[in-house]
Amino acid sequence: MAALTAPTAPVAPPGRPRRSRPAPSVASPRRRSGRVLVAAALVLVGVAFLVPLAWILLASLDPAATVSVRVPDSLTTENFAQILTWDATFRPLWNSTLISGGTAVLTVLASVLAAYPLSRYQMRFRKPFLYAILFGTCLPVTAMMVPVYALFVYLGLLDSVPGTVLFLAATSLPMAIWMTKNFMDSVPVSLEEAAWVDGAGSMTALRRIVVPLMRPGIAVVFIFVFTQAWGNFFVPFVLLFSPDHQPAAVAIYSFFGTYGTVAYGRLAAFSILYSVPVLVLYLLVQRFSGSSFAMSGAVKG
């Protein structure tokens, strides 16, 4: 009886190199085309962000800047030298700092005091009140400017920086309350209960326990309100008509001359200086706000 033997693989003829087969892939052609489309969309979005930034940087150093993006024939700092004056740059930036900083401070203080009872106490009308706050965040400022302007005329607050700060703080307050309440919910209540046992009142527990633990959240709310007020053009343009009180967001309009002429080089240089305080604020708040894990580890040990 003949023995059964296993079939052997065919042997390649000598002198002929073997071709390596490509690794099998489970990705379908449709999935590959989807990835290509996603990559193309991301590249398009990146270009849309980078082109304006490139224009600002190049036009600020171009003695003959235009609206097109191009590399200047010669580099100059004359555009910066022309705008580095008190009237053109420093006073508008100072007004913007006063308006935005005052708005952010008032909004943060009011939002912390308003969010504390909403976060800690069970009230009968808490949910309807929260929904009313959420509805307030959806109201456009432009829709209420006519009655607000009439109110400012009646109260004599037109061209008043404190009046503008109060109005900007009022418009920023709904979203700030909503954000602050969510951050405050993350602070353990047991820490306040321990303070209450030691004789601390509600305001003492809020000031010494809750607020220090939610510093990252307060920093987020502060930056959000500050940047909103810093870039606000419409409200200061309507309520502040004196050049001595106008912020930088309105003063940038002075680079647009009559008959459609625009000083592109000075406009680009002013835009760079206009963005510096916000970048400095981001770095300072990130440096001094502390770690966001402070709240999660507060009850350990």
Side-chain angles (χ1 to χ4, degrees):
M1 183 176 180
L4 296 177
T5 57
T8 58
V11 179
R16 185 176 179 182
R18 297 183 59 183
R19 294 182 180 179
S20 60
R21 294 182 178 180
S25 175
V26 296
S28 63
R30 183 176 299 176
R31 193 171 180 180
R32 291 177 184 174
S33 62
R35 288 181 178 177
V36 171
L37 291 177
V38 170
L42 292 177
V43 170
L44 185 62
V45 172
V47 170
F49 275 97
L50 291 178
V51 167
L53 296 178
W55 178 85
I56 290 176
L57 292 176
L58 296 175
S60 64
L61 301 175
D62 192 351
T66 61
V67 72
S68 60
V69 181
R70 67 182 183 90
V71 178
D73 298 331
S74 62
L75 300 179
T76 179
T77 58
E78 185 64 24
N79 295 321
F80 290 95
Q82 291 181 0
I83 65 169
L84 287 178
T85 61
W86 172 254
D87 293 335
T89 300
F90 296 115
R91 184 174 59 192
L93 289 179
W94 174 247
N95 291 334
S96 292
T97 305
L98 287 179
I99 293 174
S100 304
T103 301
V105 171
L106 280 179
T107 303
V108 167
L109 289 177
S111 63
V112 168
L113 294 176
Y116 185 67
L118 294 174
S119 175
R120 291 295 186 262
Y121 299 105
Q122 297 295 330
M123 296 178 291
R124 184 177 181 182
F125 300 102
R126 190 180 68 165
K127 280 192 174 180
F129 185 72
L130 288 174
Y131 290 145
I133 293 175
L134 188 61
F135 174 75
T137 61
C138 303
L139 291 176
V141 178
T142 54
M144 63 179 76
M145 280 311 295
V146 173
V148 167
Y149 186 84
L151 180 64
F152 269 57
V153 172
Y154 179 76
L155 297 177
L157 291 177
L158 275 182
D159 199 25
S160 171
V161 173
T164 305
V165 169
L166 290 175
F167 177 68
L168 288 175
T171 56
S172 304
L173 196 55
M175 180 59 75
I177 291 176
W178 194 268
M179 295 172 64
T180 307
K181 181 203 174 285
N182 291 331
F183 285 120
M184 195 172 289
D185 290 341
S186 303
V187 179
V189 184
S190 56
L191 296 176
E192 294 180 65
E193 294 174 348
W196 294 340
V197 171
D198 293 338
S202 299
M203 289 296 102
T204 303
L206 174 64
R207 186 177 70 254
R208 295 188 177 181
I209 304 296
V210 179
V211 171
L213 289 178
M214 57 177 297
R215 282 186 304 173
I218 293 177
V220 170
V221 176
F222 185 88
I223 290 179
F224 175 77
V225 177
F226 187 91
T227 52
Q228 291 290 321
W230 185 267
N232 197 316
F233 170 81
F234 183 68
V235 173
F237 182 74
V238 173
L239 300 180
L240 299 173
F241 46 83
S242 173
D244 295 336
H245 297 158
Q246 288 181 346
V250 181
I252 201 172
Y253 194 68
S254 63
F255 296 102
F256 294 84
T258 57
Y259 305 108
T261 58
V262 182
Y264 290 108
R266 286 181 290 168
L267 175 63
F270 184 83
S271 300
I272 292 177
L273 297 178
Y274 178 58
S275 61
V276 169
V278 179
L279 296 177
V280 174
L281 176 67
Y282 273 112
L283 296 177
L284 290 178
V285 171
Q286 185 181 12
R287 172 66 177 82
F288 295 105
S289 62
S291 174
S292 60
F293 294 99
M295 288 182 284
S296 60
V299 295
K300 293 182 179 179

